[in-house]
Each structure stands twice: as C-alpha cells, then as structure tokens.
Amino acid sequence: MNRHASSVTRHGTWDDPIVCRCEEVTVSQVVRAIREGYDTLEELKRHLRVGMGPCQGRTCLPLLARILSRETGRPLGEVMEEVSIRPPLVPVPFELWRGR
Amino acid sequence: MKRCADVVIIGAGVTGAALAYELAKRGIRDVVILERRFPCSGATGRCGGGIRQQFTTPHNIRLAMESVKRYETLSEELGVDIEFIQGGYLILAETEEEREAQRKAVALQNELGLPSRLLSPEEALDVLPLLDASTITGATYCPTDGHANPFRVVEGFLAQARRMGVMVEKFTAVTGLVVERGRIVRVHTSSGKISPGAVVNAAGAWSVEIARMAGVELPNVPVRHEIAITEPVEFFMDVMVISIHNGIYFSQTKEGQIIGGIGFPDEKPGYVISSSLRFLRVYARELTRYVPALGQLAVLRQWAGLYDVTPDAQPVLGPTPGVENFIQANGYSGHGFMIAPAVAKHLADYIEKGIRSEILEKLSIERFKEEIRGEAFVVG
C-alpha cells in the first residue's frame, strides 16, 4: 500500500491562486461555487472538498471564510461559526488508536 | 417561497432528491423540497456510500436490485460523475451460525436472481488479497454491489430537478402540518406557508417528529452511527467489505481514502451525534484485525449520523391511512442511500398514477399492526 506522494498536480496563477492546497482548489472555483448557491462553509466543503484533506482546513478555512464573507456580505465571524470541526484534528494512524 | 405546490417533499437527502428528479422527469414539476439545513446535511451526507443488494428480506433485496440498475447508468443520465465503483461487497462471517445465516441469505438472494455466492476464506482472499483470512469462517460476495459518492448523487439529482423547475428551499424548517378532513392542507415553515397537493415525509431520523405534526405515530427511532475517513492511499480495493460478526464496513473512495465505521449494539436511541473515542478504538481494532496492513494508515476525520431505525429494519413507504395525501419515505434503518433510486420510482408511480406497487403495500406503515419479521443484516 503506497501513500500518495504529496505531488502537486495543479498550480495556481497570480490571478487565480490555490486556496485549498490539499485538494488543489483555486479562488475562482470557490467564487463560482458560492455564486451557484453553495454559500456556507459546510456546503463548500461538501461540494469542492475544500478543507477535507490532510490539513483538515487549518490552512484554508480562514481563507475560505474571508472569500465567503466578501462574496455574501455576511460578517466573517458568522461565516466561521457555521463550520463544524471534526476530530482527531491531526492525522493519527489506526495502530495508535488500536493500542498495543 | 411558493404559496402552493403539487408535491412538497420534506428533506433534501438522497430520498427527497431522487424523488424530486423522478417526478420532474415524468412532468410533475410543481415540486418544492423543504430542507431544514442544506442538501446532504443529514444521514445521506454522513453515510458510507455503500450500495448493497445482499439483504435477507425479499423487499430489501428487490429494492436494492432495482436501485443498482439505476446506479449503473446514473452518471451518464445526470451528467455528473457519481463515483460509482461496482467492485462488489464482501460480507465476512466468523462463526458457524453466521455461516449458516449466510447460506440461507444466499439461497434467498439467488432465488430472486441476485448473483451472490458463498466463498471459502481462501476464495475471499482472492477478492481482497490484504485480508487476514484466518479471522473468518467464510464470506459471501456479490460482484454487482458497489459504492458511490453520496454528495455527487444528490447534487446530480438536484441539479437536474432544478433545471426542470423543482424548487429547493434550504434553511427552511417545517414547523407544523395542518390536517383538515383527513388531508394535509397547509405546511407551515420557518419562512412561510405552502398549500400542498401531496406531502412526502423524507426527513430521515426527524421523520417521526414530522409525522407527529400530522397526528401520525411512526415506530422509527434515531440511532447514532459513527464513521471515519483516512488519508488517501493508492487505489488497492474496489470491493466494499462488511462483517455480520461485528457490523464493521469499509471501502476505498475514488480519491483513495478508506471510509468506514462500526455500529454498537448498545447504542441508545437519541439525536446526539457527537464523536467518541470508543468508536475509533473499536473500529481501529476490528479493521486492522481483518486487514493488518491498514494499521499505518492515518485517520483524518471522524463524524456521526443518524440511522432512522424501524422495528423490522425495513423502510416505511407510501400513503398514510387517515391522512390521504401524506406519503412516508423514511425508516431506512441505515440503507437509504442504497435503495433511494428504486424507492423514488415506486413513490413516483403512486404520486403520478395512483399505482400502489406490491412493495409499497408490504412496506406500508400499516404493517406494524402485524407480527414483525425483519432484516437480519443491518450493516453499511
């Protein structure tokens, strides 16, 4: 069983940078999804997989929240409050959960 | 929001989405879906994505077989890659009694035309080379079972349904149902009222509360089920594995992540869906017992969802005696994603033409007055 090498398959550009590195999603993809109606962080996660990679949103969620707030005119705090944080926060192998 | 609609569907999970699409396709397009949060926010978006036909009751087997036929062509039909991987289901047994139950199940499944078969531990190894075959007494395998991505399925159904005129009202909670002379005449919501032709109760674990608003008692109870997903690894298993010994299930997504969970027989009914350490410990222990190589794989995230469980682990489908325009589509007991496309057809036949199929007759709410003989394999 091989881990996926952390190879970059896609690059952002100056005009359209990557916002979620784990899933390689760009700003314009996020903006398009918001305009299609995926206008909460929870819906964006499910639609674009943003924040669902190995970093679990620690890098991208604040950036996403800012884009969402700008696009919808809703306060940043309100947008952030709607997202659920799921354990274990950092990747932990099964053998450590199992014990022994 | 609209003031009236031919059909009001409560719940934008896979059942509501599949039904809205099916109705719209048949020309019934004055349809509104009311969703308390957002599409896929309930059990559908929290499920493991398994699509299994190896059940132990004729109705579950038939519905699942009809459903698989639909899933096979759904990506093309909806114009969305639903990530359907038809790699079969391998069901593990660890005792002689479980083996005997599998023999009976396969006999019934074969009788209904399902190509499931009994495997020895060695044959199971051919299906999943990383399996520790010494842990099992045998297995069953059905090559036409599979799994898919629930988000893509619901998005696909809803996009096509919307294109044909269906309205999806998210963050709109149903707050009351007004019944007059045996019909629901108004649906009260957090953002206004609607006069419905028919009302479909597809609210998953909250269906009991919705039904109660119309004075109808469902026997369903909400039961938490926990689940976890790992980092992605190179694709090595197209088969989905479950065990009737401990209720574990796991599969590999198209992106390479291992998604799976395990149920607890002592789980108390309730609406709390917090995550537990006990779950991760037990799931990790049982998973790595069957497939030791997975020990090094890291868990990224765990969460939970609610099964809407009935006394016989079969859904409640079709019209409600006493409230003639109230249609039940709930009580899936953990199997809703698997059978939703088939259920949508049966319910659309009823809504469009008044045809009550044998399955709708048999799975009606009325059956709970009689003796109950239920589904034995309540796993993912």
Side-chain angles (χ1 to χ4, degrees):
Chain A
M1 187 177 318
N2 297 313
R3 280 209 167 75
H4 280 310
S6 54
S7 60
V8 174
T9 58
R10 179 173 181 183
H11 294 277
T13 62
W14 182 257
D15 292 330
D16 189 17
I18 298 271
V19 56
C20 169
R21 288 181 197 158
C22 302
E23 300 290 339
E24 299 183 323
V25 178
T26 69
V27 172
S28 72
Q29 284 178 287
V30 174
V31 169
R32 196 180 320 132
I34 295 168
R35 290 177 185 168
E36 279 172 21
Y38 299 96
D39 54 5
T40 61
L41 282 183
E42 287 292 329
E43 288 168 278
L44 282 173
K45 271 166 61 182
R46 285 160 174 80
H47 180 59
L48 292 175
R49 306 186 48 78
V50 286
M52 292 171 102
C55 97
Q56 283 297 287
R58 280 190 305 282
T59 313
C60 59
L61 275 181
L63 301 170
L64 289 163
R66 194 160 284 282
I67 297 168
L68 187 55
S69 169
R70 191 187 65 199
E71 283 295 311
T72 60
R74 293 161 60 215
L76 192 60
E78 183 185 305
V79 163
M80 274 303 271
E81 262 172 34
E82 291 165 353
V83 72
S84 64
I85 304 298
R86 290 173 167 176
L89 304 181
V90 292
V92 179
F94 280 120
E95 56 196 10
L96 293 182
W97 295 112
R98 178 186 61 196
R100 285 183 299 276
Chain B
M1 196 168 63
K2 282 183 166 186
R3 293 269 185 80
C4 56
D6 285 345
V7 182
V8 170
I9 298 171
I10 303 171
V14 69
T15 299
L19 178 59
Y21 169 73
E22 190 66 35
L23 289 170
K25 212 172 64 170
R26 296 172 184 215
I28 301 173
R29 296 176 176 185
D30 184 16
V31 176
V32 175
I33 306 181
L34 302 174
E35 168 53 53
R36 195 177 55 128
R37 293 186 69 210
F38 50 84
C40 257
S41 55
T44 300
R46 296 165 181 277
C47 83
I51 299 166
R52 161 165 68 105
Q53 304 158 98
Q54 298 179 73
F55 283 99
T56 66
T57 74
H59 310 310
N60 277 347
I61 296 168
R62 283 205 188 98
L63 281 170
M65 286 175 70
E66 289 172 26
S67 234
V68 163
K69 279 270 160 291
R70 298 281 292 122
Y71 274 119
E72 283 171 351
T73 57
L74 206 54
S75 288
E76 199 182 343
E77 185 177 330
L78 298 178
V80 167
D81 178 11
I82 64 161
E83 301 174 15
F84 183 49
I85 296 173
Q86 201 165 20
Y89 249 68
L90 183 69
I91 306 186
L92 309 176
E94 287 193 45
T95 66
E96 265 322 302
E97 294 78 60
E98 287 161 11
R99 206 64 191 127
E100 192 46 42
Q102 288 196 323
R103 273 184 208 108
K104 280 192 190 136
V106 166
L108 174 64
Q109 290 156 5
N110 292 169
E111 207 176 291
L112 295 171
L114 188 70
S116 57
R117 58 181 194 264
L118 290 157
L119 300 186
S120 66
E122 295 70 35
E123 290 169 323
L125 207 54
D126 292 336
V127 176
L128 182 62
L130 288 176
L131 178 74
D132 178 357
S134 72
T135 56
I136 61 169
T137 52
T140 64
Y141 177 66
C142 175
T144 55
D145 289 344
H147 56 90
N149 184 329
F151 299 122
R152 297 296 93 85
V153 170
V154 171
E155 283 180 1
F157 278 136
L158 288 183
Q160 292 301 327
R162 279 194 181 105
R163 196 181 52 79
M164 294 185 279
V166 170
M167 307 291 288
V168 182
E169 303 289 346
K170 62 178 184 174
F171 296 104
T172 302
V174 171
T175 54
L177 299 171
V178 181
V179 179
E180 281 173 13
R181 285 183 292 279
R183 287 180 65 82
I184 297 176
V185 293
R186 249 178 325 283
V187 179
H188 289 257
T189 80
S190 52
S191 39
K193 295 174 211 169
I194 309 181
S195 299
V199 176
V200 179
N201 184 6
W206 292 272
S207 296
V208 178
E209 296 183 356
I210 296 292
R212 205 167 283 147
M213 291 176 188
V216 174
E217 282 300 320
L218 289 172
N220 314 11
V221 291
V223 180
R224 175 182 70 162
H225 273 254
E226 297 185 71
I227 180 165
I229 197 162
T230 68
E231 62 186 326
V233 284
E234 200 172 283
F235 199 78
F236 73 96
M237 56 179 273
D238 59 0
V239 69
M240 178 147 174
V241 183
I242 70 177
S243 166
I244 54 171
H245 185 69
N246 53 25
I248 199 173
Y249 64 91
F250 56 97
S251 65
Q252 189 173 23
T253 66
K254 200 177 174 187
E255 288 96 15
Q257 302 167 305
I258 302 295
I259 183 168
I262 195 164
F264 294 114
D266 65 353
E267 186 76 38
K268 303 265 187 307
Y271 285 100
V272 175
I273 53 166
S274 52
S275 295
S276 75
L277 179 58
R278 173 173 85 144
F279 161 75
L280 267 189
R281 292 184 67 88
V282 173
Y283 174 54
R285 188 186 72 213
E286 293 303 300
L287 180 69
T288 57
R289 194 165 62 82
Y290 289 137
V291 186
L294 293 177
Q296 294 163 33
L297 207 55
V299 177
L300 280 192
R301 181 164 72 243
Q302 68 174 130
W303 65 97
L306 294 171
Y307 280 19
D308 181 29
V309 179
T310 61
D312 61 3
Q314 301 187 96
V316 183
L317 301 178
T320 311
V323 191
E324 57 170 294
N325 62 341
F326 192 28
I327 295 158
Q328 306 302 326
N330 49 62
Y332 293 103
S333 310
H335 309 136
F337 181 65
M338 309 182 185
I339 59 176
V343 166
K345 287 210 147 186
H346 286 267
L347 292 178
D349 279 344
Y350 177 71
I351 293 168
E352 185 193 5
K353 306 174 205 148
I355 297 172
R356 226 176 136 187
S357 65
E358 193 202 332
I359 284 198
L360 292 192
E361 298 271 355
K362 290 280 166 50
L363 296 180
S364 152
I365 185 175
E366 293 163 89
R367 75 180 184 275
F368 297 108
K369 293 179 205 148
E370 298 154 22
E371 192 201 353
I372 288 161
R373 288 176 78 194
E375 171 59 51
F377 296 171
V378 185
V379 198

